Amino acid sequence: MNAANPSPAQTLASAPRSRWSSPAMRRFLRHKLAVFGTAAIAFMVIACIFGPMLLPYNDTHIDIRQRFAPPFSGSHILGTDPLGRDILARLLMAGRISLSVGFSAMAVSMAIGICVGVIAGFYQRMIGTALMRFVDAMLCFPSIFLLLAISALIEPSVPSIVLLIAMTSWMEVARVVEGQIRSLRTRDFAVAAVSMGASNTRIMFRELLPNAVAPIVVAATLNVAHAILAESYISFLGYGIQPPTPSWGNMLEGAQSYLTSAPWLAILPGAAITLAVTSFNFIGDGLRDALDPRLDAR
């Protein structure tokens, strides 16, 4: 087959890569907030991984004589908490937990949502309609109340919180993927794959899914922000990660009684949550603009 008439496989192989071509990268780099968000998340991840190794105190070290030390006083850069524990060390260790929950919950929710969306978009009719009506029914429940109701019934731990958040956040992904697959299944390359005798599984996951990668990447980025925020909700209300394991949410919960006497106890984890969630949202906005095929002609 000559270059003027590429095969369906060649068309498929080139389609996803074109989304990451240099014009798309330039559009992303022109989105200043997205670049800022990427830099902020990279800094937070590196700091949370390596920062605790460089500090003179760990997150469990107690110094009763230094209780409620304000930021930039002595050897405690960001001050101490009611037990004299170093806030910076706890903030970085909490970041490990909160970011791990965010990325892990995103991975699980994306896996569920992609599978449901691909099957519903490909088969349509009875199977697709039944799956999407189930998705709609799940979306009828406010996710925060569903999170709190279920988390009150299970033993809190990092794996259980990850699964809990994932089970309440896959529905939006399924709807995005279903819409993409439904529109792609009538394209020439999909019809050609059917005529060549490809199996349904191959058509769904080798032909159609790679061409829906752009909105999936955007949804994954926004899903991390949602997961971090959800973990903070339930930990703040006492149903999430339990002390002494730190998370940004339970650090906020422990600071409630000291908002006037030691406001930094709440300001610092609150600022970390705000920065992480806002940065992921900025990245999602930048990716959405960069991967929009309607901008390729500009």
Side-chain angles (χ1 to χ4, degrees):
M1 193 168 291
N2 58 35
N5 296 291
S7 67
Q10 291 171 326
T11 303
L12 171 64
S14 62
R17 284 198 295 267
S18 65
R19 297 289 183 265
W20 295 100
S21 61
S22 56
M25 182 61 70
R26 286 198 298 269
R27 286 196 295 271
F28 182 82
L29 294 176
R30 283 200 300 266
H31 198 297
K32 295 181 180 179
L33 291 177
V35 174
F36 166 79
T38 303
I41 293 301
F43 173 78
M44 294 178 77
V45 170
I46 293 172
C48 291
I49 293 175
F50 299 106
M53 307 175 192
L54 305 176
L55 295 176
Y57 307 100
N58 60 38
D59 62 300
T60 59
H61 175 79
I62 295 176
D63 186 356
I64 295 297
R65 295 173 297 178
Q66 294 291 325
R67 295 174 65 242
F68 295 112
F72 307 109
S73 61
S75 59
H76 300 283
I77 299 174
L78 295 183
T80 59
D81 67 3
L83 296 178
R85 295 174 296 189
D86 186 76
I87 292 294
L88 179 56
R90 288 183 59 75
L91 201 64
L92 294 176
M93 291 301 296
R96 286 186 181 182
I97 299 297
S98 295
L99 291 174
S100 297
V101 169
F103 285 113
S104 301
M106 177 272 291
V108 176
S109 65
M110 293 301 294
I112 298 172
I114 287 172
C115 290
V116 173
V118 168
I119 294 171
F122 182 79
Y123 286 106
Q124 300 182 356
R125 297 188 179 181
M126 186 172 68
I127 295 177
T129 301
L131 285 173
M132 294 315 294
R133 294 298 75 78
F134 175 69
V135 170
D136 291 340
M138 291 292 293
L139 286 170
C140 290
F141 296 96
S143 60
I144 183 59
F145 297 117
L146 191 61
L147 273 171
L148 293 176
I150 300 176
S151 60
L153 303 176
I154 63 174
E155 182 179 353
S157 65
V158 173
S160 65
I161 296 301
V162 167
L163 289 176
L164 180 59
I165 295 173
M167 293 301 173
T168 57
S169 60
W170 61 269
M171 295 82 73
E172 293 87 352
V173 179
R175 296 192 71 172
V176 169
V177 175
E178 188 269 342
Q180 290 291 313
I181 297 300
R182 182 155 39 87
S183 66
L184 289 170
R185 71 188 301 270
T186 58
R187 298 282 183 89
D188 291 344
F189 68 88
V191 174
V194 173
S195 66
M196 292 169 64
S199 65
N200 288 344
T201 302
R202 178 182 175 82
I203 295 172
M204 286 189 290
F205 293 101
R206 296 289 300 275
E207 305 288 340
L208 298 178
L209 185 58
N211 285 278
V213 69
I216 291 174
V217 170
V218 176
T221 306
L222 299 177
N223 227 320
V224 179
H226 167 78
I228 292 173
L229 208 53
E231 184 277 324
S232 301
Y233 287 153
I234 55 180
S235 293
F236 177 77
L237 295 174
Y239 298 109
I241 308 299
Q242 299 296 305
T245 302
S247 77
W248 290 333
N250 65 29
M251 287 182 72
L252 272 177
E253 190 274 334
Q256 289 183 85
S257 303
Y258 310 102
L259 292 177
T260 55
S261 59
W264 62 87
L265 297 178
I267 291 173
L268 293 172
I273 294 170
T274 302
L275 179 60
V277 172
T278 304
S279 296
F280 277 114
N281 285 329
F282 286 158
I283 295 172
D285 289 342
L287 288 173
R288 182 184 58 206
D289 293 344
L291 300 175
D292 190 345
R294 293 171 296 181
L295 299 177
D296 286 345
R298 297 186 182 180

